[in-house]
């Protein structure tokens, strides 16, 4: 599935109107040979107990990559 955009309030990404808690470690990926913005990936926790993989890119904000 393609990534889904996340809403952002007070600089915090939200999924289904609930804030995500980001784990502090991030992984940065950039592809200089493509016209894509660099992405900073985080593991995040949703208040309903879900863990997910999210990223922030330099152009378009926060995205939900998927759940695990």
């Amino acid at each position: 599935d393609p990534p889904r955009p996340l809403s952002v309030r007070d600089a915090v990404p939200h999924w289904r109107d609930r804030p995500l808690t980001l784990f502090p470690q991030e992984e940065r990926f950039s592809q200089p040979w493509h016209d894509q913005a660099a992405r900073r990936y985080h593991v995040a926790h949703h208040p309903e107990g879900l863990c997910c993989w999210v990223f922030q890119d330099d152009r378009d904000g926060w995205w939900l990559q998927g759940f695990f």
Side-chain angles (χ1 to χ4, degrees):
D1 293 337
R4 293 175 268 181
L6 294 170
S7 61
V8 178
R9 279 179 258 154
D10 299 322
V12 176
H14 285 62
W15 174 249
R16 295 187 177 169
D17 295 321
R18 307 279 302 275
L20 295 172
T21 302
L22 301 176
F23 287 72
Q25 183 177 353
E26 77 175 23
E27 297 289 334
R28 183 178 172 86
F29 297 99
S30 62
Q31 301 172 333
W33 57 90
H34 289 290
D35 186 29
Q36 287 186 315
R39 293 179 175 181
R40 291 175 299 282
Y41 283 86
H42 292 266
V43 173
H45 183 261
H46 189 270
E48 293 176 6
L50 302 169
C51 283
C52 55
W53 188 234
V54 298
F55 68 88
Q56 182 181 32
D57 73 30
D58 292 334
R59 290 190 292 216
D60 299 319
W62 286 96
W63 297 82
L64 173 69
Q65 184 69 53
F67 294 98
F68 59 91

